[in-house]
Amino acid sequence: VPELTAAELTTVEAADCKMVALLSPSEGINYNFVAGMYAIATVILVVLLVLDKVLEVTVPRRSPPPPPPDLPTSLDPTSVDCCASQVSQVAGFYIIFAPFAPCFLWSLVVRNRWLAERGAAEGGSGETADSKKHR
């Protein structure tokens, strides 16, 4: 195993400190709420992704036909491809919610540490206030 110099050790220690700080719960934040909000956004991501993929298969994405001379495209009720054009307008909306999936996983890790710290602070029995309520 190669020996590290003092400067390399300092760099490694700084990186370790940053990682620990990233995964450590902050005082005054309810991580049940944080994880819940990220969970809701992740569910929205999954629903939009599934809808996008299902509609991609069932509704062909074609450009709508030209409107009749007297009606704009948006008011043409006889257009056969109106659903296809509407689906293509919202295609890929799931990508907006994509950052919430890794944030949800992060919040679960931090929440787990937060609950462990809370349990230790309440007497070291390992029980949280929530688990005491459910008894």
Side-chain angles (χ1 to χ4, degrees):
V1 177
E3 301 256 342
L4 297 176
T5 66
E8 292 172 332
L9 276 176
T10 306
T11 305
V12 169
E13 289 171 355
D16 286 344
C17 287
K18 288 179 185 177
M19 183 59 77
V20 168
L22 182 66
L23 297 176
S24 297
S26 297
E27 188 67 34
I29 296 177
N30 183 347
Y31 286 96
N32 288 328
F33 178 79
V34 173
M37 292 298 102
Y38 283 143
I40 289 170
T42 303
V43 167
I44 293 171
L45 163 70
V46 170
V47 167
L48 289 176
L49 178 65
V50 167
L51 282 174
D52 186 68
K53 297 307 174 190
V54 166
L55 290 176
E56 184 178 278
V57 172
T58 59
V59 179
R61 293 185 181 162
R62 292 177 283 189
S63 59
D70 56 340
L71 278 179
T73 306
S74 61
L75 300 177
D76 183 12
T78 61
S79 176
V80 176
D81 289 333
C82 78
C83 291
S85 66
Q86 290 174 355
V87 169
S88 67
Q89 290 174 0
V90 295
F93 267 32
Y94 64 89
I95 199 72
I96 295 169
F97 292 92
F100 290 104
C103 291
F104 174 59
L105 297 176
W106 166 84
S107 71
L108 290 178
V109 171
V110 176
R111 180 182 173 271
N112 189 24
R113 290 183 180 196
W114 176 69
L115 290 174
E117 287 178 9
R118 234 173 84 183
E122 288 180 0
S125 64
E127 289 185 310
T128 63
D130 291 336
S131 65
K132 289 179 183 176
K133 287 180 191 175
H134 295 296
R135 281 198 279 163

PDB file of all heavy atoms in Angstrom, residues 118-127 132:
ATOM      1  N   ARG A 118     -31.926  11.092  16.457  1.00  0.00           N
ATOM      2  CA  ARG A 118     -33.073  11.445  17.290  1.00  0.00           C
ATOM      3  C   ARG A 118     -33.346  10.368  18.330  1.00  0.00           C
ATOM      4  O   ARG A 118     -33.663  10.669  19.479  1.00  0.00           O
ATOM      5  CB  ARG A 118     -34.310  11.624  16.404  1.00  0.00           C
ATOM      6  CG  ARG A 118     -34.996  12.930  16.591  1.00  0.00           C
ATOM      7  CD  ARG A 118     -36.089  13.131  15.589  1.00  0.00           C
ATOM      8  NE  ARG A 118     -37.311  12.482  16.055  1.00  0.00           N
ATOM      9  CZ  ARG A 118     -38.426  12.436  15.379  1.00  0.00           C
ATOM     10  NH1 ARG A 118     -38.480  12.953  14.183  1.00  0.00           N
ATOM     11  NH2 ARG A 118     -39.496  11.876  15.861  1.00  0.00           N
ATOM     12  N   GLY A 119     -33.223   9.114  17.914  1.00  0.00           N
ATOM     13  CA  GLY A 119     -33.431   8.004  18.843  1.00  0.00           C
ATOM     14  C   GLY A 119     -32.378   7.985  19.927  1.00  0.00           C
ATOM     15  O   GLY A 119     -32.669   7.722  21.096  1.00  0.00           O
ATOM     16  N   ALA A 120     -31.138   8.267  19.566  1.00  0.00           N
ATOM     17  CA  ALA A 120     -30.058   8.298  20.550  1.00  0.00           C
ATOM     18  C   ALA A 120     -30.243   9.458  21.520  1.00  0.00           C
ATOM     19  O   ALA A 120     -29.951   9.345  22.709  1.00  0.00           O
ATOM     20  CB  ALA A 120     -28.711   8.406  19.845  1.00  0.00           C
ATOM     21  N   ALA A 121     -30.744  10.580  21.043  1.00  0.00           N
ATOM     22  CA  ALA A 121     -30.950  11.749  21.893  1.00  0.00           C
ATOM     23  C   ALA A 121     -32.125  11.558  22.848  1.00  0.00           C
ATOM     24  O   ALA A 121     -32.180  12.182  23.897  1.00  0.00           O
ATOM     25  CB  ALA A 121     -31.184  12.988  21.033  1.00  0.00           C
ATOM     26  N   GLU A 122     -33.055  10.686  22.505  1.00  0.00           N
ATOM     27  CA  GLU A 122     -34.233  10.469  23.344  1.00  0.00           C
ATOM     28  C   GLU A 122     -34.006   9.407  24.405  1.00  0.00           C
ATOM     29  O   GLU A 122     -34.952   8.905  24.982  1.00  0.00           O
ATOM     30  CB  GLU A 122     -35.436  10.093  22.478  1.00  0.00           C
ATOM     31  CG  GLU A 122     -35.969  11.254  21.676  1.00  0.00           C
ATOM     32  CD  GLU A 122     -37.157  10.870  20.821  1.00  0.00           C
ATOM     33  OE1 GLU A 122     -37.565   9.694  20.852  1.00  0.00           O
ATOM     34  OE2 GLU A 122     -37.661  11.746  20.118  1.00  0.00           O
ATOM     35  N   GLY A 123     -32.803   9.009  24.621  1.00  0.00           N
ATOM     36  CA  GLY A 123     -32.545   8.072  25.693  1.00  0.00           C
ATOM     37  C   GLY A 123     -31.785   6.845  25.267  1.00  0.00           C
ATOM     38  O   GLY A 123     -31.574   5.953  26.078  1.00  0.00           O
ATOM     39  N   GLY A 124     -31.414   6.769  24.024  1.00  0.00           N
ATOM     40  CA  GLY A 124     -30.594   5.656  23.571  1.00  0.00           C
ATOM     41  C   GLY A 124     -31.338   4.352  23.422  1.00  0.00           C
ATOM     42  O   GLY A 124     -30.746   3.306  23.204  1.00  0.00           O
ATOM     43  N   SER A 125     -32.660   4.372  23.529  1.00  0.00           N
ATOM     44  CA  SER A 125     -33.404   3.125  23.405  1.00  0.00           C
ATOM     45  C   SER A 125     -33.596   2.713  21.959  1.00  0.00           C
ATOM     46  O   SER A 125     -34.038   1.610  21.685  1.00  0.00           O
ATOM     47  CB  SER A 125     -34.774   3.261  24.075  1.00  0.00           C
ATOM     48  OG  SER A 125     -35.551   4.235  23.406  1.00  0.00           O
ATOM     49  N   GLY A 126     -33.292   3.620  21.040  1.00  0.00           N
ATOM     50  CA  GLY A 126     -33.438   3.299  19.624  1.00  0.00           C
ATOM     51  C   GLY A 126     -34.844   3.516  19.120  1.00  0.00           C
ATOM     52  O   GLY A 126     -35.131   3.314  17.965  1.00  0.00           O
ATOM     53  N   GLU A 127     -35.764   3.914  20.003  1.00  0.00           N
ATOM     54  CA  GLU A 127     -37.131   4.171  19.583  1.00  0.00           C
ATOM     55  C   GLU A 127     -37.295   5.650  19.279  1.00  0.00           C
ATOM     56  O   GLU A 127     -36.764   6.503  19.985  1.00  0.00           O
ATOM     57  CB  GLU A 127     -38.119   3.793  20.689  1.00  0.00           C
ATOM     58  CG  GLU A 127     -38.246   2.309  20.906  1.00  0.00           C
ATOM     59  CD  GLU A 127     -39.334   2.020  21.927  1.00  0.00           C
ATOM     60  OE1 GLU A 127     -39.318   2.635  22.991  1.00  0.00           O
ATOM     61  OE2 GLU A 127     -40.194   1.184  21.611  1.00  0.00           O
ATOM     62  N   LYS A 132     -43.045   5.180  19.242  1.00  0.00           N
ATOM     63  CA  LYS A 132     -43.704   5.161  20.541  1.00  0.00           C
ATOM     64  C   LYS A 132     -45.180   5.446  20.396  1.00  0.00           C
ATOM     65  O   LYS A 132     -45.995   4.935  21.152  1.00  0.00           O
ATOM     66  CB  LYS A 132     -43.051   6.179  21.476  1.00  0.00           C
ATOM     67  CG  LYS A 132     -41.663   5.785  21.921  1.00  0.00           C
ATOM     68  CD  LYS A 132     -41.070   6.837  22.822  1.00  0.00           C
ATOM     69  CE  LYS A 132     -39.644   6.464  23.203  1.00  0.00           C
ATOM     70  NZ  LYS A 132     -39.017   7.512  24.012  1.00  0.00           N
TER      71      LYS A 132
END
